[in-house]
Structure formats: C-alpha cells, structure tokens
Amino acid sequence: MSTEETLVLVKPDGVARGLTGSILARIEAKGYALVDIRLVEPDRDRLEKHYAEHAGKAFYEPLLEFMMSGPSVAIRLAGNRVIEGFRSLAGATDPTTAAPGTIRGDFGRDWGLAVQQNLVHGSDSPESAARELGIWFG
Ligand code: IDP
C-alpha cells in the first residue's frame, strides 16, 4: 500500500469547454477518491507560487494569463500511487503528441498559442504534491 494525495487542476480551458464532468468521470472510473474539490479563480500571487519553477521561461507569462482567464477546478485526490497514476491518465504535456486514451490526447487541442492549453494539471512528485496542496487548499 502506498496511499498518497495529489493536486489535480481542471484548468480554465477544461472548465470553459464543459469537460469537467468527463475528466472527473475518468478519475472516478480509475478508482481514485475525491477528498476535496472546489472552484477557484486564482490570483497572480497564487499562480507565481504554483509555477515558480517556470519563472523566466518563454511560456511563463502566457501561462499565468491563461490560468487567470477563468476559474479552475482544484481537486485533492487520493489513492495508491495517485501522483504517477493521474499523470498517466493526463498524458503528455503537448496535446498533439499525448497518447490517445489520455485526457490530453483525447480532448486536448493545439491552439497555436504561446502556452499549451492542455486541460489539466497533476503534481509530479510527493514533494510537489505537498507544496501544491498547501497553495490551493491551505
Ligand atoms: P505538465 O503540466 O505536463 O507537468 P510542465 O512542464 O510542468 O508540464 O508545464 C506546466 C504547464 O506549462 C504545462 O501544462 C503547459 O500548460 C505549459 N507549458 C509547458 N511547456 C510548454 C511549452 O513548451 N510551450 C507552451 N506551454 C508550455
């Protein structure tokens, strides 16, 4: 047993396109547990903390603008190896090359913008999960 928790976000493009229910259905079908869920309109300060590792990159400012363009659904998700498992469900960062069968592969679209609008976020390590859960649910 290695039950753990992760932060999942349905990003503004996923909420705006009405895909929250479809994404939650995949998460629940996989057997992960929703511990907490809320609609959030993050301010810049919260997003700078969340995306600190990307500060200075070409897509950083467009990423923050995109994440402030509308509400996201923040989910505290639990399960055995859920960090790795949700990232597997989500698929690769680039929706064009994300594998069919993944959330990004099936629903994501490359809009030709400076930032990939790829529907979801999932923490990438136990350390990131603890930090990000504090930012969104602290
Ligand atoms: P991940 O969300 O797949 O873990 P990260 O490398 O942590 O990917 O990047 C965070 C977010 O920044 C991505 O989900 C995507 O929205 C955006 N992003 C990352 N790399 C690029 C890029 O090369 N071009 C445009 N947007 C990017």
Side-chain angles (χ1 to χ4, degrees):
M1 293 286 282
S2 55
T3 298
E4 55 187 19
E5 291 189 340
T6 193
L7 174 77
V8 170
L9 300 176
V10 180
K11 293 175 167 183
D13 55 333
V15 175
R17 290 176 58 199
L19 293 171
T20 303
S22 299
I23 292 167
L24 285 174
R26 289 180 179 215
I27 289 170
E28 292 192 302
K30 186 75 177 174
Y32 296 133
L34 305 178
V35 178
D36 201 351
I37 182 167
R38 60 180 68 162
L39 196 69
V40 184
E41 294 196 60
D43 60 14
R44 189 179 172 96
D45 182 61
R46 188 189 303 231
L47 293 167
E48 284 179 351
K49 290 190 175 96
H50 178 81
Y51 283 123
E53 67 176 294
H54 295 305
K57 294 181 183 171
F59 60 84
Y60 180 69
E61 283 298 329
L63 176 60
L64 264 52
E65 291 297 323
F66 161 55
M67 292 297 293
M68 289 189 289
S69 67
S72 289
V73 174
I75 304 159
R76 180 187 287 270
L77 195 64
N80 293 323
R81 300 173 66 199
V82 68
I83 295 172
E84 183 183 8
F86 178 76
R87 286 181 67 87
S88 178
L89 280 185
T93 305
D94 177 354
T96 295
T97 56
T102 65
I103 292 166
R104 289 165 167 171
D106 287 352
F107 302 133
R109 186 183 306 171
D110 190 329
W111 302 91
L113 301 172
V115 63
Q116 291 289 358
Q117 299 196 358
N118 53 11
L119 300 169
V120 289
H121 167 84
S123 308
D124 65 5
S125 68
E127 295 73 26
S128 296
R131 192 180 69 83
E132 294 172 0
L133 285 166
I135 292 169
W136 292 82
F137 287 97

